[in-house]
Every structure is written in structure tokens, then in C-alpha cells.
């Protein structure tokens, strides 16, 4: 006779007693049962989920030995930031934006008194393009590469991120132009494309880095590292802006005086001379691009580092002089920005529906699509170990670049091409975008600071 509750015989003729009666007489639960776990050491069934719930046979089968047959916890690929803005982050961001507004206000005051006319703006633009920005890029890139640090792998992420952001911004600009039914070859279509593709990646990020990190109470290395990160972002951004941006806007038949090729010394120039003065090569090897390349060469070559760095370096004084000249880049660019905004405000017409629609499209691309795209790229880069997660400052710089308004130097390109009418139209559009950018920039910077934890 078998057991009172029944016996089950296996193929090998051995019986395993199952307490079927006790199991069937249990009350039916009104909630879903948790997944079952079978102990390898006994024949009893347990319904506990984890070690926090007691096992009925814990004396000889610890819960840690139970294989789990239930659903595994899901790993979240995307961790969205909280939508609640912390007061500290909001206050810091507002102070930084107010600093930008105050700097532009001083420049607007100088422009209203006739100190920043069209001639002075053109001169300052040429100085920025040919001297101040190359000096800044040369010294920062060379110093960063010459200084040993544990963040060397982070530097390669910045140029790649700049290329991706420009690519996505250009595609968004083309999509916005198509949605507004603008001809891509028209001046309005070109303005929309270049303003969506290129953000203000130099002056404003440097200004915000100065406001956030120069007097940081706990980590004094944040500010020089932030400046180095922004400079390496400009390594890819600057050549693309002065080449691709100039190509998008189109060039006029007349060139500025400093860009004109010198007359050929002979009626039949040699092949190296023709290559040297080729328009495409002159656009590619612009002064900012040369500053980046020379800085990378000096910082990565031991022989050149010994010439420029150190107390006994023969060219240390020259390097310090270039660093001083590069420090004039930020105030000079802010003056040109304020002067351009002042000229744009003079011809601003808020009743122009075409101008308002283009401004709204640029703001939507720059303050919604681009931050969302940068957050997605950052999350994917961290998930695939392409972007280090242990460097919050790197994440801050990458997201900061995506929250900036359109590049003011688009006006500089048109001024250098001696196209005053197109420059005035671009200045009006940029002025309206910057006027509308104060509130979204403050909110976005608050989110970025809160998300990265700085």
C-alpha cells in the first residue's frame, strides 16, 4: 500500500513522496503567487522571493542556495533626470545667465555711445579670427596634452561629440526649413541650417565655466579642466565652422583683404604655389584650425614641450605672451556679440511673421531637439563604455554645448565675406534668438547641473 496521500513512481522504480493532499487543501490565495523556488537539498516547496523571507527548511537549505525561477530585475538603460529643479542649481544657473546679460549690457552701452560701430566690429572680428582664437586654442591644447592626467581618454570624446552634434543640428535645420517650406538655397534656408548646426561653443561655455567653477569651494581643478575640455571640443568645432559653416552660407565674389591671395610672382605659378593658394585648402587651414594643430603638435612632442614649457625653456616667454593674448578672446567676443545684438535690435521687427517663424524653429532645434539628442548620445556612450561615467565634468561640458544658442560668429563669417546686407539680416535673427534664449538656458543649465551632480 502506498502513502495515504498517494505515491508517484519514477522510471527507476523509486518513490518520491509528495505532500499532494497538504498542497491541495491550502486556501486559494486572492493575490498572484510569487515564483516558486526548489531547494536542492530537500523535497519541500518554498514560496519565498529572497533571503529576506524565511525559508521553511532554513536549517539545512539556506535561501542563498535557492535557484531563482522568477523574473529577473530589469536593468534600466536610460536614467532620466528629475524634473524638479533644486534651488541651489537654479540659483547658480540664474547667476551665470545674469552675468552673460550684464556683459552684453555693457557692450550694448558702448555700442549706443558709438564706440562699437560697423568698422570697429569688423576689425575686432578679424582679430578674433586671425589672432585671439588661434592663440587661445594653441595654448590650451598644448597645455592639456603636455600635462599628465588621468583624463586623457576623455579628451578624444569631445571632438567626436562635436561632429555628431553638428551633424544632427544640420539635419534638424534642414527638417525645419522643409517644414516652413523654405528653399534650402535661399538666404533664409541657409540661415536656419547654419544656426541649427552650430551653437555658440566658445564664448558662452567659457563664460559659464568661469561663473560655475573658477571659485569652486571643494575642487579648484574643475575650472582649468573645464577650459581644457571646451578647447578640445573646439578642436573639431572650429575647423568645421569656418569651413562647413562658410560653405553653407555661401561666399561672395569679393574676399576680405586679408584673405586675398598675393599676386603670383611669375605668370605660370608652380604646383606647390597653386596648392598653397587653393581656396579649399585656405578654408580648411584657417587660423583657428592651425592653432589647434600646432597646439596638439607642441603638447604631444617631447622635444617641443621642452622648448615651450619649463622655467628654463627658451620659448617660455613667447608661450606666456600667447596665453595672455588668448585671454583677450572672451571679452573681445562678448563685445562683438553685444555690438551685433545692438545692430540687430535696431532693425528688429517683431511683427514680421517670417522672422518669428524662423526664430521659433531655431529655438526649438537648439533648446529642445539638441539637448535631447545630446542626452541620448551621452546615455548610449556610457552604456557602451565609450564615455567614462566617472567624470561628471565631461558630461557637464557635453550637455552644456548642446544647450547653447546659435553661434554669433555666423555674423562674423558674413562680415569677413564683405556681405553687409546678409550680415545685418543674420544679426537681427541672432539678436531675437538670444533674446528668447535667456529663460530656456537658465532652466537647461539647472537640469544639467542637477543631473551630473556638480
Amino acid at each position: 500500500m502506498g502513502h495515504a496521500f498517494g505515491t508517484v513512481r519514477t522510471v527507476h522504480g523509486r518513490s518520491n513522496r509528495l505532500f499532494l493532499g497538504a498542497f491541495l487543501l491550502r486556501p486559494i490565495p486572492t493575490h498572484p503567487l510569487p515564483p516558486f523556488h526548489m531547494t536542492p537539498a530537500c523535497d519541500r516547496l518554498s514560496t519565498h522571493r529572497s533571503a529576506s523571507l524565511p525559508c521553511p527548511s532554513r536549517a539545512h537549505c539556506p535561501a542563498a542556495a535557492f535557484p531563482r525561477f522568477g523574473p529577473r530585475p530589469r536593468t534600466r538603460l536610460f536614467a532620466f533626470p528629475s524634473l524638479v529643479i533644486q534651488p541651489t542649481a537654479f540659483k547658480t544657473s540664474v547667476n551665470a545667465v545674469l552675468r552673460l546679460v550684464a556683459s552684453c549690457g555693457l557692450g550694448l552701452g558702448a555700442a549706443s555711445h558709438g564706440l562699437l560701430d560697423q568698422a570697429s566690429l569688423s576689425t575686432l572680428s578679424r582679430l578674433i579670427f586671425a589672432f585671439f582664437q588661434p592663440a587661445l586654442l594653441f595654448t590650451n591644447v598644448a597645455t592639456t596634452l603636455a600635462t599628465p592626467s588621468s583624463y586623457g581618454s576623455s579628451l578624444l570624446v569631445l571632438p567626436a561629440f562635436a561632429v555628431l552634434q553638428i551633424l544632427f543640428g544640420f539635419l534638424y535645420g534642414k527638417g525645419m526649413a522643409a517644414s516652413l517650406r523654405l528653399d534650402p538655397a535661399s538666404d533664409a534656408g541657409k540661415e536656419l541650417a547654419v544656426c541649427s548646426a552650430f551653437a555658440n561653443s566658445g564664448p558662452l561655455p567659457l563664460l559659464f565655466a568661469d561663473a560655475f567653477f573658477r571659485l569652486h569651494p571643494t575642487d579648484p581643478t574643475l575650472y582649468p579642466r573645464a577650459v581644457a575640455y571646451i578647447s578640445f571640443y573646439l578642436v573639431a568645432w572650429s575647423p568645421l565652422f569656418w569651413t562647413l559653416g562658410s560653405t553653407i552660407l555661401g561666399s561672395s565674389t569679393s574676399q576680405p583683404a586679408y584673405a586675398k591671395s598675393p599676386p603670383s610672382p611669375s605668370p605660370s605659378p608652380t604646383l606647390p604655389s597653386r596648392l598653397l593658394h587653393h581656396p579649399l585648402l585656405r578654408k580648411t587651414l584657417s587660423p583657428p584650425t592651425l592653432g589647434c594643430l600646432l597646439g596638439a603638435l607642441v603638447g604631444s612632442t617631447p622635444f617641443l614641450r621642452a622648448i615651450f614649457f619649463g622655467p628654463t625653456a627658451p620659448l617660455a616667454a613667447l608661450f606666456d605672451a600667447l596665453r595672455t593674448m588668448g585671454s583677450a578672446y572672451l571679452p573681445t567676443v562678448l563685445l562683438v556679440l553685444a555690438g551685433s545684438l545692438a545692430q540687430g535690435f535696431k532693425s528688429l521687427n517683431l511683427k514680421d511673421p517670417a522672422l518669428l517663424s524662423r526664430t521659433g524653429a531655431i529655438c526649438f532645434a537648439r533648446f529642445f531637439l539638441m539637448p535631447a539628442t545630446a542626452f541620448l548620445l551621452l546615455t548610449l556612450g556610457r552604456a557602451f563604455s565609450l564615455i567614462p561615467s566617472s567624470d561628471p565634468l565631461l558630461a557637464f561640458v557635453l550637455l552644456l554645448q548642446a544647450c547653447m544658442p546659435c553661434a554669433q560668429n555666423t555674423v562674423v563669417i558674413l562680415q569677413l565675406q564683405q556681405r553687409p546686407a546678409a550680415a545685418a539680416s543674420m544679426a537681427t535673427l541672432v539678436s531675437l534668438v538670444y533674446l528668447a534664449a535667456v529663460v530656456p538656458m537658465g532652466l537647461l543649465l539647472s537640469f544639467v547641473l542637477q543631473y551630473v551632480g556638480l
Side-chain angles (χ1 to χ4, degrees):
M1 294 293 292
H3 194 273
F5 294 110
T7 6
V8 176
R9 295 197 176 271
T10 62
V11 179
H12 302 285
R14 299 163 63 182
S15 351
N16 290 332
R17 295 182 178 179
L18 301 176
F19 297 90
L20 299 178
F23 180 78
L24 295 174
L25 292 177
R26 289 170 51 187
I28 299 176
T30 58
H31 55 80
L33 289 175
F36 285 96
H37 302 274
M38 182 69 74
T39 64
C42 68
D43 59 353
R44 308 181 68 181
L45 293 172
S46 174
T47 58
H48 68 284
R49 282 186 181 270
S50 62
S52 61
L53 296 179
C55 174
S57 56
R58 196 176 184 86
H60 61 88
C61 55
F66 281 52
R68 184 179 180 122
F69 296 102
R72 295 185 177 182
R74 297 179 180 178
T75 56
R76 297 178 61 188
L77 180 61
F78 299 101
F80 293 97
S82 174
L83 296 180
V84 180
I85 302 177
Q86 296 179 358
T88 304
F90 182 73
K91 180 180 178 181
T92 306
S93 303
V94 168
N95 290 335
V97 174
L98 289 179
R99 183 173 179 176
L100 169 64
V101 173
S103 300
C104 292
L106 293 175
L108 290 174
S112 62
H113 287 81
L115 299 178
L116 289 177
D117 53 0
Q118 183 61 41
S120 59
L121 289 178
S122 299
T123 302
L124 290 177
S125 300
R126 289 195 294 270
L127 286 174
I128 292 170
F129 176 74
F131 191 63
F132 291 149
Q133 188 177 14
L136 175 74
L137 294 176
F138 172 78
T139 54
N140 285 338
V141 171
T143 303
T144 304
L145 291 179
T147 304
S149 64
S150 59
Y151 300 98
S153 60
S154 303
L155 300 177
L156 299 178
V157 177
L158 293 154
F161 216 82
V163 174
L164 289 176
Q165 286 191 341
I166 292 172
L167 175 62
F168 279 102
F170 178 74
L171 295 178
Y172 293 149
K174 289 294 185 180
M176 291 294 173
S179 64
L180 295 178
R181 297 180 180 179
L182 295 176
D183 183 10
S186 64
D187 289 341
K190 294 177 181 178
E191 290 176 356
L192 189 56
V194 75
C195 289
S196 300
F198 295 97
N200 193 324
S201 299
L204 294 192
L206 289 173
L207 180 67
F208 287 134
D210 183 86
F212 289 143
F213 305 125
R214 180 178 284 276
L215 300 177
H216 199 272
T218 59
D219 191 354
T221 65
L222 285 178
Y223 177 68
R225 283 175 50 209
V227 173
Y229 285 172
I230 294 170
S231 299
F232 266 83
Y233 188 92
L234 294 175
V235 167
W237 183 93
S238 183
L240 288 175
F241 176 77
W242 295 108
T243 56
L244 181 60
S246 179
T247 303
I248 294 174
L249 290 175
S251 58
S252 62
T253 56
S254 60
Q255 294 180 336
Y258 75 93
K260 291 182 180 179
S261 302
S264 177
S266 61
S268 57
T270 60
L271 179 60
S273 178
R274 290 199 302 267
L275 292 177
L276 184 62
H277 299 108
H278 194 275
L280 180 60
L281 184 62
R282 294 182 66 85
K283 280 186 176 182
T284 305
L285 296 179
S286 60
T289 307
L290 290 176
C292 296
L293 296 178
L294 292 177
L297 179 64
V298 169
S300 58
T301 306
F303 171 73
L304 296 177
R305 284 202 304 264
I307 294 177
F308 284 93
F309 295 96
T312 59
L315 297 182
L318 175 61
F319 190 84
D320 292 338
L322 289 174
R323 189 192 301 274
T324 303
M325 295 299 175
S327 63
Y329 168 75
L330 182 59
T332 308
V333 167
L334 290 177
L335 284 177
V336 174
L337 173 62
S340 302
L341 294 179
Q343 291 186 352
F345 288 149
K346 292 179 181 179
S347 57
L348 184 61
N349 183 13
L350 296 179
K351 296 182 180 180
D352 185 3
L355 177 62
L356 295 179
S357 62
R358 281 182 292 153
T359 303
I362 293 173
C363 291
F364 181 73
R366 293 289 350 151
F367 302 124
F368 180 75
L369 294 179
M370 289 308 301
T373 303
F375 177 78
L376 177 63
L377 293 175
L378 176 64
T379 306
L380 291 176
R382 285 179 166 181
F384 290 99
S385 301
L386 299 176
I387 299 177
S389 303
S390 59
D391 191 356
L393 183 62
L394 175 64
F396 172 80
V397 172
L398 295 178
L399 295 177
L400 173 68
Q401 294 288 355
C403 300
M404 295 294 100
C406 56
Q408 179 270 336
N409 281 341
T410 52
V411 182
V412 176
I413 289 180
L414 296 173
Q415 290 174 347
L416 294 176
Q417 293 177 351
Q418 295 184 353
R419 299 167 61 187
S425 175
M426 179 65 77
T428 302
L429 180 62
V430 170
S431 301
L432 193 55
V433 170
Y434 275 71
L435 188 63
V438 175
V439 175
M441 269 199 306
L443 295 176
L444 288 172
L445 290 177
S446 301
F447 282 123
V448 170
L449 284 175
Q450 182 173 321
Y451 174 69
V452 301
L454 289 176

